[in-house]
């Protein structure tokens, strides 16, 4: 079963953490500061987290459509 978030803030924090791991160290602090208290960015980061979780699920499923995996 997939992860369920109680509120957007939790998903946004997880999405931000994932994004920071993918960025070079020199850009992490700037992104962290930019994300602080911006509702639209929180929404985007929450959507990023949900997309990452969906991709993980699709990759684990034997019957997953390759085009869907590629899209994510």
């Amino acid at each position: 079963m997939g992860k369920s978030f109680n509120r957007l803030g939790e998903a946004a924090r997880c999405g931000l953490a994932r994004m920071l791991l993918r960025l070079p160290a020199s850009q992490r602090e700037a992104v962290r500061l930019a994300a602080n208290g911006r509702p639209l960015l929180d929404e985007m980061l929450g959507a990023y987290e949900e997309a990452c979780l969906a991709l993980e699920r699709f990759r684990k499923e034997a019957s997953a459509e390759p085009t869907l995996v590629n899209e994510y």
Side-chain angles (χ1 to χ4, degrees):
M1 178 75 47
K3 194 174 196 178
S4 176
F5 295 104
N6 295 336
R7 58 189 188 282
L8 179 61
E10 183 180 348
R13 282 192 301 276
C14 291
L16 177 60
R18 279 184 194 265
M19 187 172 287
L20 292 175
L21 288 173
R22 297 187 59 95
L23 291 173
S26 62
Q27 296 178 353
R28 290 179 189 153
E29 188 60 26
V31 171
R32 187 179 289 120
L33 290 172
N36 191 19
R38 295 198 174 161
L40 292 176
L41 193 52
D42 279 355
E43 189 174 332
M44 182 201 66
L45 291 168
Y48 179 69
E49 174 66 7
E50 293 292 339
C52 289
L53 292 173
L55 179 58
E56 288 173 8
R57 280 193 312 270
F58 297 151
R59 285 181 173 161
K60 289 178 184 176
E61 292 176 4
S63 63
E65 288 288 323
T67 54
L68 190 60
V69 172
N70 289 335
E71 180 181 334
Y72 272 80

